[in-house]
Amino acid sequence: MTPEKLYETLKKIQEPKGYYFNRNKTMVMELMQSLLENKDRYGYMACPCRLASGNQQDDKDIICPCVYRKQDVIEFGSCYCGLYVSKEWNEDKIVHIYVPERRPPEKMKC
């Protein structure tokens, strides 16, 4: 699969749910490529902005879209890595601020 194909597939699935890709297409395509690399490396699309352990069970919370995305987008308008954003975020109707890491420290030990 190519990054472009992954982008089109995920866009069709996520936009009806209210999750949009960041308008920075260059960054989004780099993240698409990283997701595909993680799929090749681990067998699943671990969030490219976090350190995956290689154990799918241990990493299930960071398989994209991660379990933290919903609350991040509700609270900040963007997920942690900035891949998924709200429509308001893309339209500059809300302030773009740093999204803190929600993943518990004990899950980040690899």
Side-chain angles (χ1 to χ4, degrees):
M1 179 176 286
T2 65
E4 293 79 13
K5 177 70 174 159
L6 180 60
Y7 175 89
E8 291 302 324
T9 301
L10 293 176
K11 183 176 179 176
K12 289 176 190 173
I13 295 168
Q14 299 302 328
E15 281 191 2
K17 297 177 184 179
Y19 299 103
Y20 299 86
F21 283 127
N22 191 311
R23 67 178 181 228
N24 181 338
K25 188 93 180 250
T26 301
M27 181 192 80
V28 168
M29 296 314 287
E30 289 171 359
L31 290 170
M32 293 289 113
Q33 180 63 41
S34 295
L35 285 169
L36 291 171
E37 289 171 6
N38 281 347
K39 184 170 173 66
D40 287 343
R41 181 180 297 135
Y42 304 119
Y44 53 94
M45 291 193 301
C47 175
C49 299
R50 294 180 166 104
L51 185 58
S53 69
N55 179 308
Q56 188 169 359
Q57 184 62 30
D58 291 344
D59 292 340
K60 66 183 180 181
D61 63 320
I62 60 167
I63 295 174
C64 190
C66 73
V67 300
Y68 311 105
R69 176 187 71 169
K70 180 178 180 180
Q71 193 58 41
D72 286 349
V73 173
I74 288 170
E75 193 172 334
F76 301 101
S78 171
C79 70
Y80 178 69
C81 64
L83 177 62
Y84 288 107
V85 300
S86 67
K87 187 175 182 182
E88 294 78 16
W89 192 96
N90 262 345
E91 295 173 350
D92 289 326
K93 292 181 179 175
I94 60 175
V95 178
H96 299 182
I97 60 173
Y98 174 78
V99 178
E101 174 64 90
R102 291 183 191 272
R103 193 172 199 216
E106 61 272 10
K107 289 198 169 233
M108 293 190 268
K109 295 177 183 173
C110 295

